[in-house]
Amino acid sequence: MNISILVFGSQKFLTTLPDQIRYATAFSVEVIANLDQAVSHITMTPPDIIVVQASLDGSMELCSWLKDQPKLSWIYCILLEDRSQQIIDRGKYGWEWELEMTSSALKQGADAYIWQLPEGKTDYTLAELTANQRLILAQLTVGLRKAKKYRDLIRTNDLLSAIALADSLTELNNRRALEWDLPRQIQKAREQSLPFSLIILDVDFFKKVNDTYGHLVGDRLLQLLCIRVRHNLRFQDTPFRYGGEEFVILLANTTGEEASIVARRLNRIVSEQPFAINNQHTINITISLGTASLQSDDDEQGISLLHRADQCLLEAKATGRNKVIGWDHLSHVQYLKAAASS
């Protein structure tokens, strides 16, 4: 596990830390003494542990800011008290005052609050020096355990998310994944002023395959179909199993004309070669496809875009199947029909 530590403090402060931190080889250490720079660094590259010098300007602000960030609050923050006045008051007022200071530091966002040994004194015993260093390292160990648990949780969540968004039969992304990804791709296309299109395709007469050969053969056919389709898409095309024998393909940075080219190629590569289910069964199938491109008045979720592509798919199936119908073509046909009826 590659652990990273951010020291918010001066170079002089760094020299007071245990050698295991300063000369670490098992993890990386960054030193920053400016609050704005530290916040920028944490936001862009979150460390696992932060060691904060209490006397540095912005130290408590950093601890408080960190705990106010939902996505960063897991970072373990160790505040080292090195302010001379606080250390003097600690010796003057005793343990009750020390507990009050500790309570205040924890409330403001520190996960651990450790008193440094006062500067200027040179007659510390080896036991005193060792105890202080061991306390810092003990809190570092706590932070390391927390970082490991957090990373394990992230890996588990990523695995569960992948399972939830995958179709177990075809290994494509499922409809839930489409509903999550389509709005993202629409937003990206609009922000970058890029074209965006999609394809809806359906296997022609798939029910006949199931009725003739059984559902296991039908399932295997869908698997082979998805393999063939996936291997004939461009790198920016994203396929999804929409439901049953129906699939959606998102086409980033693709015009309506280009979408029709992609769709016609898929139509051809499916129909031109039979699918070998096993040694006994080889099945010929065709697919019908509808295409549509993003328009300025489409909703952010992509519902209207999907609807237009689906209308094209229905037209392809109604007019003979095994063909591609694009929205431009369908809207022109509908216009001519409306003009003729009037």
Side-chain angles (χ1 to χ4, degrees):
M1 184 169 67
N2 184 24
I3 294 296
S4 60
I5 298 176
L6 173 65
V7 176
F8 181 66
S10 64
Q11 288 295 330
K12 183 179 179 181
F13 170 74
L14 180 64
T15 64
T16 68
L17 298 179
D19 291 346
Q20 291 90 332
I21 296 177
R22 288 188 291 153
Y23 306 115
T25 57
F27 43 79
S28 60
V29 179
E30 294 278 348
V31 181
I32 299 177
N34 177 274
L35 178 61
D36 291 337
Q37 291 177 4
V39 168
S40 177
H41 178 84
I42 295 168
T43 302
M44 296 181 63
T45 312
D48 298 294
I49 299 170
I50 298 178
V51 179
V52 179
Q53 178 183 0
S55 63
L56 192 67
D57 288 343
S59 58
M60 291 314 305
E61 289 89 338
L62 180 63
C63 295
S64 299
W65 170 83
L66 186 64
K67 296 310 172 186
D68 287 337
Q69 311 303 310
K71 294 183 179 180
L72 299 173
S73 59
W74 58 271
I75 299 173
Y76 199 72
C77 182
I78 303 173
L79 179 65
L80 298 186
E81 183 58 81
D82 67 331
R83 291 173 291 184
S84 57
Q85 186 59 51
Q86 273 71 10
I87 292 174
I88 292 171
D89 290 343
R90 178 193 187 198
K92 183 187 298 184
Y93 298 116
W95 64 271
E96 290 185 349
W97 186 87
E98 179 181 335
L99 290 179
E100 184 64 30
M101 287 290 295
T102 302
S103 175
S104 175
L106 297 179
K107 285 181 180 178
Q108 292 184 70
D111 293 298
Y113 183 57
I114 302 174
W115 292 84
Q116 289 282 70
L117 296 175
E119 291 185 4
K121 185 178 177 181
T122 59
D123 58 345
Y124 291 116
T125 66
L126 180 60
E128 287 177 317
L129 292 170
T130 302
N132 184 260
Q133 300 279 293
R134 287 175 64 186
L135 181 57
I136 295 173
L137 293 175
Q139 287 296 339
L140 187 68
T141 300
V142 173
L144 294 178
R145 283 201 300 262
K146 184 176 180 182
K148 183 180 185 303
K149 289 181 179 179
Y150 176 77
R151 293 187 180 197
D152 290 344
L153 178 62
I154 291 297
R155 281 193 292 268
T156 300
N157 287 342
D158 288 345
L159 177 60
L160 292 175
S161 296
I163 293 172
L165 298 177
D167 176 61
S168 59
L169 176 66
T170 63
E171 298 184 355
L172 297 182
N173 291 326
N174 61 19
R175 183 167 183 162
R176 183 182 299 174
L178 173 66
E179 292 169 350
W180 177 80
D181 195 35
L182 179 55
R184 290 177 59 255
Q185 294 215 32
I186 289 175
Q187 180 182 2
K188 181 179 179 180
R190 285 175 167 162
E191 288 176 348
Q192 299 182 4
S193 298
L194 296 174
F196 178 76
S197 302
L198 60 79
I199 298 170
I200 296 184
L201 68 90
D202 186 89
V203 181
D204 296 329
F205 302 110
F206 184 70
K207 184 178 183 299
K208 185 177 180 180
V209 174
N210 283 332
D211 291 344
T212 303
Y213 301 102
H215 289 278
L216 291 179
V217 171
D219 287 349
R220 181 55 181 161
L221 178 61
L222 290 180
Q223 291 174 334
L224 295 173
L225 169 67
C226 290
I227 292 172
R228 188 179 296 184
V229 168
R230 192 166 53 224
H231 287 172
N232 285 275
L233 291 175
R234 304 166 304 173
F235 73 93
Q236 73 264 36
D237 303 336
T238 313
F240 300 82
R241 187 183 184 190
Y242 197 49
E245 66 274 19
E246 195 169 33
F247 301 86
V248 173
I249 304 171
L250 303 186
L251 309 173
N253 194 16
T254 303
T255 64
E257 182 178 352
E258 291 168 338
S260 294
I261 293 173
V262 174
R264 287 195 292 270
R265 183 174 72 248
L266 294 178
N267 178 254
R268 185 181 68 255
I269 64 103
V270 169
S271 62
E272 68 183 5
Q273 183 177 351
F275 290 85
I277 306 299
N278 50 42
N279 293 333
Q280 289 76 37
H281 300 297
T282 299
I283 300 176
N284 289 285
I285 61 169
T286 60
I287 56 175
S288 299
L289 308 94
T291 70
S293 298
L294 184 65
Q295 297 179 357
S296 59
D297 57 348
D298 280 325
D299 61 276
E300 296 178 353
Q301 299 303 310
I303 296 174
S304 56
L305 175 59
L306 277 169
H307 177 71
R308 290 202 308 279
D310 193 49
Q311 291 298 110
C312 293
L313 173 63
L314 292 174
E315 179 70 12
K317 296 180 79 68
T319 55
R321 294 181 168 85
N322 189 24
K323 64 174 64 174
V324 176
I325 298 290
W327 178 250
D328 289 342
H329 171 77
L330 180 58
S331 58
H332 180 66
V333 170
Q334 291 174 339
Y335 172 79
L336 292 178
K337 288 182 179 178
S341 62
S342 62

